[in-house]
Amino acid sequence: MKRRDFLQKTLPAGILLPSFMNGFSFRAFGMDSPELTSLLQPVTETDHVLVIVQLNGGNDGLNTVIPLEHFSNYVNARSNIYIPQEKVLPLNGKSGLHPAMTGMADLYQQGQLKVVHSVGYPQPNFSHFRATDIWMSASDSSTIVNSGWAGRYLNYEYPNFPIGYPNSSMTDPLAIQIGSVTSLTFQGPAVSMGMSISSATNFYNLINGVADPVPNTPAGKELAYIRSVSQQTQQYSTVIKNAAAKVTKQGAYPTPNPLADQLKIVARLIAGGLKTRVYMVSYGGFDTHAVQVNSTDTSTGTHANLLGNVSKAIKAFQDDLRMLGADERVIGMTFSEFGRRVKSNASTGTDHGAAAPLFLFGKNVMGGVLGDTPKVPVNAAVGDNVPFQYDFRSVYATLLSKWLCVDDKDLQQIMLKNFQQLPLVQSIGCKKPVDLSGEQLISNYPNPFTTSTVITFKTAGGHTLIQVMDASGRVVANLIDKEYAAGTYTVVFNSGILPSGMYYARLQNMSIQQVRPMLKVKP
């Protein structure tokens, strides 16, 4: 096949090639159009950076942040995998970290770690693929959305991309993902807004000018030709090399540790001066259906190794950013597509579940623990899940507003709906964080109940939501979803044909949420 025919028959018209720069495979978009530069200024002026850490497989939240407040119930539910209380790293007296997470415990003591309890969404999906899409797109679980939340944000910040990019106001990649192909997270309404570095090895090949060899075959010759064509049109390779070259010394990172390898690159590019707003890294292996722990010592094993690597990598990243003088600009966030069930299985593992804790880290997070310690039933059933307290999209909305400085009038369009904002980050050049109330704002009577119960709730005014979830974490009733004047109100929950068992009433009022258990018993 001739080169011209090869290119014409294998590439769709109007689509830019995934680039193969000196053996460094990445996907990027952009073309020079100086006459449009004046129209392509970013919407907000900020040097803030967000780093997203994806924990692939569904991390077990109850063995990551151990519910000390309900420890006896936790032991009953997880008799073959529970973490001994004396080994737990204490947080706020009510919960604690897995003993392998000493690095993140140090960050917590320094006020640089925020633990958000029970993050999830209504109607959780337990498929790895669909649940990941939901977290990346920020869609409802019943709605398919083909763009990512960060991609929509970047499309808002840099309109008309890729036409006219790079330009004098934005010379650098908008977003970078390391360790994978560019995910749905960075997909904009029309094109991907980011680029991906397939591995740490390929990154160092790029900056060191090392090319992967091509096979001495007709296909290999075509690949070499594509590389040469791509190299002529690729405009981001030089700025990446230049940024990397500015950083000649970094802090110590643990090895072998795939997540640390990725975060080391991110720190180098940030400190090297890239204007890139969002980075994403990933680390897999969290689908721990079996042999999650060592039977002789449940604080060790597969899950402990995973959490230890995450903790060491994040701590090394923060130490490196501080040494490089870039920690003021960076906040990181972890997420996993779902948590695990309350009750462990017979294989010393855990099965797909619903809500789980989420971590934010950085110099400018509001350190501490957000939310109530997840309540563990006295006699947990096989299908029981941790009910969500915070919608994960509220975390996204807060970071967009309070850290990346998105205007309130545009936030709902990016997030597709209006989500509460949370006290997660310090106000650094954007808006003041909001405070949560420690007052009990939702209760019900009678409790236990047989057929109906009266839910009493207090709202500070504004949008107020009252939901009821079952033990699996699914929303079974939306009782209130409207604007209220400040005050105390009641609503009746008629359980109808719902079976007896544990239910949860959830209040969401602007920045505040609370979840309270309710028990339905047989008449």
Side-chain angles (χ1 to χ4, degrees), residues 108-263:
Y108 182 85
Q109 295 301 321
Q110 297 168 20
Q112 296 188 22
L113 184 73
K114 185 78 164 188
V115 181
V116 186
H117 279 310
S118 307
V119 181
Y121 54 94
Q123 314 303 331
N125 190 291
F126 304 118
S127 159
H128 289 290
F129 300 106
R130 177 60 190 141
T132 299
D133 282 351
I134 291 168
W135 275 81
M136 289 184 171
S137 65
S139 67
D140 290 337
S141 58
S142 59
T143 305
I144 303 296
V145 174
N146 294 320
S147 61
W149 71 278
R152 294 192 297 271
Y153 156 68
L154 292 168
N155 181 70
Y156 151 87
E157 280 290 322
Y158 302 99
N160 300 314
F161 182 87
I163 299 173
Y165 292 88
N167 56 54
S168 59
S169 65
M170 187 51 176
T171 58
D172 306 337
L174 309 188
I176 295 177
Q177 181 166 347
I178 299 175
S180 179
V181 296
T182 311
S183 72
L184 177 62
T185 302
F186 292 154
Q187 178 63 41
V191 299
S192 176
M193 308 297 290
M195 56 171 281
S196 61
I197 300 173
S198 58
S199 70
T201 299
N202 280 339
F203 170 78
Y204 293 110
N205 284 348
L206 171 68
I207 63 174
N208 294 323
V210 177
D212 286 344
V214 298
N216 186 23
T217 65
K221 294 176 182 178
E222 299 301 341
L223 177 57
Y225 177 69
I226 291 175
R227 286 181 180 176
S228 66
V229 172
S230 301
Q231 192 165 7
Q232 293 170 9
T233 60
Q234 178 50 251
Q235 300 180 67
Y236 287 138
S237 61
T238 300
V239 295
I240 290 173
K241 290 180 181 180
N242 291 343
K246 292 177 183 176
V247 178
T248 58
K249 183 179 180 181
Q250 289 188 259
Y253 282 79
T255 184
N257 186 318
L259 181 60
D261 293 342
Q262 298 171 57
L263 288 174

Side-chain angles (χ1 to χ4, degrees), residues 38 73 168 192 307 340 365 396 418 432-433:
S38 62
N73 292 352
S168 59
S192 176
L307 293 179
R340 317 297 286 188
V365 302
Y396 293 172
N418 182 25
K432 292 184 178 180

